[in-house]
């Protein structure tokens, strides 16, 4: 009974990691390509204004852009949970410190989180298969 709960805990943590990797990645893309440009690049009051805001939508752009509230704030909280779940998975699966750090930092570079998640899942599935084969062979 104890072994079954350990497997379930490991599956839960890994499934949660996968979900959070995608949610973190999506929020990071929104932050990088929507919220930050809206705050810093669009509108007369933007710090590095490149273009004027569309007429009637000025309130969405510039230093007071509500997009920061809707995208940047949730991203920060989701990323903190993501890091905690990465630590949980790393402890469950006995990852090295460098692998753990690399996976945690992947959530800070747009698109990289998706690539790393894919590679981690493939690697962990292969490792799981390798550990199950000797058990079923006997």
């Amino acid at each position: 009974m104890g072994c079954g709960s350990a497997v379930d805990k490991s599956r839960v943590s890994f499934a949660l990691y996968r979900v959070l990797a995608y949610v973190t990645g999506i929020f990071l893309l929104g932050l990088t390509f929507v919220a930050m440009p809206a705050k810093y690049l669009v509108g007369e009051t933007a710090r590095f204004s490149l273009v004027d805001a569309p007429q009637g939508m000025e309130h969405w752009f510039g230093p007071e852009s509500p997009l920061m509230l809707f995208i940047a704030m949730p991203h920060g909280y989701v990323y903190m949970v993501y890091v905690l779940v990465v630590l949980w998975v790393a402890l469950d699966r006995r990852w090295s410190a460098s692998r753990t750090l690399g996976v945690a930092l992947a959530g800070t570079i747009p698109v990289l989180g998706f690539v790393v998640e894919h590679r981690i899942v493939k690697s962990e599935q292969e490792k799981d298969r390798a550990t199950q084969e000797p058990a079923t062979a006997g």
Side-chain angles (χ1 to χ4, degrees), residues 18-127:
R18 294 190 69 188
V19 169
L20 285 170
Y22 277 92
V23 172
T24 300
I26 290 166
F27 269 108
L28 183 58
L29 289 172
L31 177 66
T32 305
F33 298 110
V34 177
M36 297 298 276
K39 180 177 181 174
Y40 293 108
L41 303 177
V42 180
E44 288 181 17
T45 59
R47 182 166 291 164
F48 308 105
S49 181
L50 298 178
V51 295
D52 290 337
Q55 192 163 4
M57 298 183 67
E58 293 86 357
H59 67 283
W60 287 100
F61 301 95
E64 303 300 320
S65 174
L67 292 172
M68 293 304 285
L69 178 66
F70 299 136
I71 297 174
M73 294 291 290
H75 167 70
Y77 290 117
V78 169
Y79 181 72
M80 286 189 285
V81 174
Y82 167 80
V83 168
L84 292 174
V85 170
V86 166
L87 292 172
W88 182 18
V89 171
L91 291 171
D92 277 351
R93 296 193 173 244
R94 302 184 193 283
W95 288 353
S96 67
S98 60
R99 184 176 202 181
T100 303
L101 184 61
V103 173
L105 289 177
T108 65
I109 301 170
V111 182
L112 185 61
F114 301 118
V115 174
V116 168
E117 185 273 344
H118 177 74
R119 289 183 179 173
I120 289 292
V121 167
K122 190 174 178 181
S123 167
E124 292 298 314
Q125 286 173 342
E126 288 172 6
K127 193 186 326 177

Side-chain angles (χ1 to χ4, degrees), residues 1-8:
M1 186 168 197
C3 184
S5 66
V7 169
D8 293 342

